[in-house]
Structure formats: structure tokens, C-alpha cells
Amino acid sequence: MRLERIAHELNTIAAAQAGRPATTHDVERIDDNVAVWQRVRDLTASAGEILAMRAGDARHRDSKGARLITMDALRRGATFRTIVPAELMNSPDQAARVRELHAAGDLHRVSDEPLREMLVFDRAISFLAVSPDAPPVGALVIRQPSMVMALVDLFERTWAGGSDVMTASDQLGRLTRREREVLALMSQGRSNRAIARTLSIMDVTVTKHVANVFTKLDLPPDESDHRRVLAVLAYLRNQQR
């Protein structure tokens, strides 16, 4: 919700500055994806640090050109950190793409928090998707230092609460922090409603997390097995290691 408020405020600022020369904008709105890509490409070629937050499907940005630019920047010593949504790792193809980039040096973490497409170059200039849609259409370009640092702070908080993508070789390691919290409460015999009250989240959110736990633990629906019990047994076995 904090990111949504920030995006709304930045959109308002961009609208107010629409009549001024682009070079003086604290916040500039660009609705042409080609123009956005050109600027991102140029900054990626020269930046020393790049922070990225991805909102959804990785395939739309997995072009040969984007990968080459990323690899060139890594080879010249640039540092990358990228946060992707936990749901992305449910797809074997997309999870493989993420792990490949991670192994190459673009360090990734997964998060179950709401994300929006965002890039920060050298903690000096940010690109934030105009809307939460994926793939994104247009971007807000932010140069005002305090606004950029607010986005950096949001990134760092989300990064700290995320999970390393390489732990997914272990089934329980595939779970996000929130999914592990839900599973831990399940192991105490809590119902979905009780879990929602404990974590101060909506019932429907707990249902979604429980479904993700079943998927990541390879527990498909089966009339002969109780998936909730099997998930808890897997958790308890892991706790005893």
C-alpha cells in the first residue's frame, strides 16, 4: 500500500510539471515504452549499481537485447539486485530464468509483498511503472533526491524481508517468509481464520498462501491424502534436522 501511495503522489507531481522542460522535471511521465527502454538501456550501460523490482511475468523482458545489456554491465563490474514476486517461482521456466540471472551476478530475492515494476540507478534516478499492470506501459522518471531515497528505502525493506532464490532446491526453501509463517501456524493446529487474525491479514490472503505452500511442496489435490497434514509433517521433519 505504501508503494501505491507513492506512485499516486508521483503521478500527481508529474501531471503538474507536464508543461515544463523535461530537463527540469523532478518527476517526468513517459507513456512511450520505446522511449522508456532507450533511457533504461543508456543508464544500464553506465550505472554502477542497479536496484530492480519486478511485478510479474519475466518473459516480456527476457529479450536477447536486455540480457546482453545486463551481462555487459555485470562484466564491467556493475552490481545488480532484483526482487521478484513469489508467484513467479511457481513456473519452472520463469524460475529457471531467474536462477540463471542470479548465478550470473544479478542477485535475486523473492517476496510475497505487493510489487510494482521499478528501477533505481546509482540511487540517483528511478523509473517506476505508471500502473501495476504487467507488462508495464509507461514509466515515471524520478530525479528528486528525497523521492529517490524513499523508493530506495522501500526496496531495501522489501529486500530484507525476501527469500534467496537459490534456496528453492529444498522444498521448504521455496517458501517465502510469509508462507513459512503461515505453515508454522498451521503446524500449531490453527485454522485459516485464526492465522489471518494472528498475522493481521485477510482470510483470502491466507487461503492464497496455503495454496502456494501446497504447490511448492508438490502436494496436488488427492482424495486419499490430507494436504494440510502432509504439509505440516514436512515442516516438522525440517524442524528436527
Side-chain angles (χ1 to χ4, degrees), residues 28-104:
E28 177 189 2
R29 176 167 173 158
I30 305 176
D31 292 314
D32 179 2
N33 277 0
V34 174
V36 172
W37 164 241
Q38 180 64 51
R39 293 203 195 182
V40 167
R41 184 177 65 181
D42 292 345
L43 285 165
T44 303
S46 59
E49 180 191 40
I50 301 171
L51 309 177
M53 188 178 289
R54 304 302 190 184
D57 195 326
R59 287 172 292 186
H60 71 269
R61 58 178 171 272
D62 195 40
S63 68
K64 182 178 180 181
R67 293 169 69 82
L68 287 175
I69 290 169
T70 298
M71 297 306 293
D72 284 345
L74 288 169
R75 280 193 289 269
R76 65 174 173 78
T79 60
F80 282 73
R81 283 187 290 153
T82 301
I83 302 170
V84 297
E87 294 80 10
L88 196 86
M89 303 305 288
N90 291 337
S91 164
D93 290 343
Q94 295 191 60
R97 291 187 185 96
V98 167
R99 294 193 189 101
E100 180 184 2
L101 287 169
H102 182 83

Side-chain angles (χ1 to χ4, degrees), residues 10 32 58 79 97-98 117 128 131 148 152 166 195 201 237:
L10 291 173
D32 179 2
T79 60
R97 291 187 185 96
V98 167
E117 294 278 332
L128 182 66
S131 73
V148 174
V152 170
M166 299 311 287
I195 292 172
I201 57 179
R237 284 195 298 269

Side-chain angles (χ1 to χ4, degrees), residues 97-221:
R97 291 187 185 96
V98 167
R99 294 193 189 101
E100 180 184 2
L101 287 169
H102 182 83
D106 182 359
L107 303 183
H108 282 63
R109 285 191 179 180
V110 298
S111 173
D112 56 1
E113 301 297 329
L115 302 179
R116 179 178 288 208
E117 294 278 332
M118 181 175 76
L119 288 165
V120 183
F121 296 93
D122 290 330
R123 304 186 179 227
I125 183 168
S126 302
F127 285 69
L128 182 66
V130 171
S131 73
D133 299 331
V137 178
L140 297 166
V141 185
I142 305 105
R143 300 180 181 84
Q144 208 283 331
S146 63
M147 297 178 190
V148 174
M149 291 313 298
L151 293 173
V152 170
D153 178 68
L154 181 62
F155 175 92
E156 295 293 1
R157 290 173 180 270
T158 307
W159 178 268
S163 304
D164 191 302
V165 297
M166 299 311 287
T167 62
S169 58
D170 171 14
Q171 283 186 326
L172 284 176
R174 301 176 190 174
L175 305 184
T176 65
R177 173 181 54 83
R178 180 64 85 187
E179 288 162 359
R180 288 194 297 272
E181 290 174 346
V182 168
L183 181 54
L185 290 170
M186 286 168 56
S187 73
Q188 298 172 18
R190 306 284 186 90
S191 66
N192 283 8
R193 179 163 295 181
I195 292 172
R197 287 198 301 268
T198 301
L199 298 179
S200 299
I201 57 179
M202 298 177 63
D203 290 6
V204 67
T205 303
V206 174
T207 300
K208 179 180 177 182
H209 289 319
V210 170
N212 286 341
V213 167
F214 292 156
T215 298
K216 293 178 182 181
L217 297 185
D218 297 327
L219 296 172

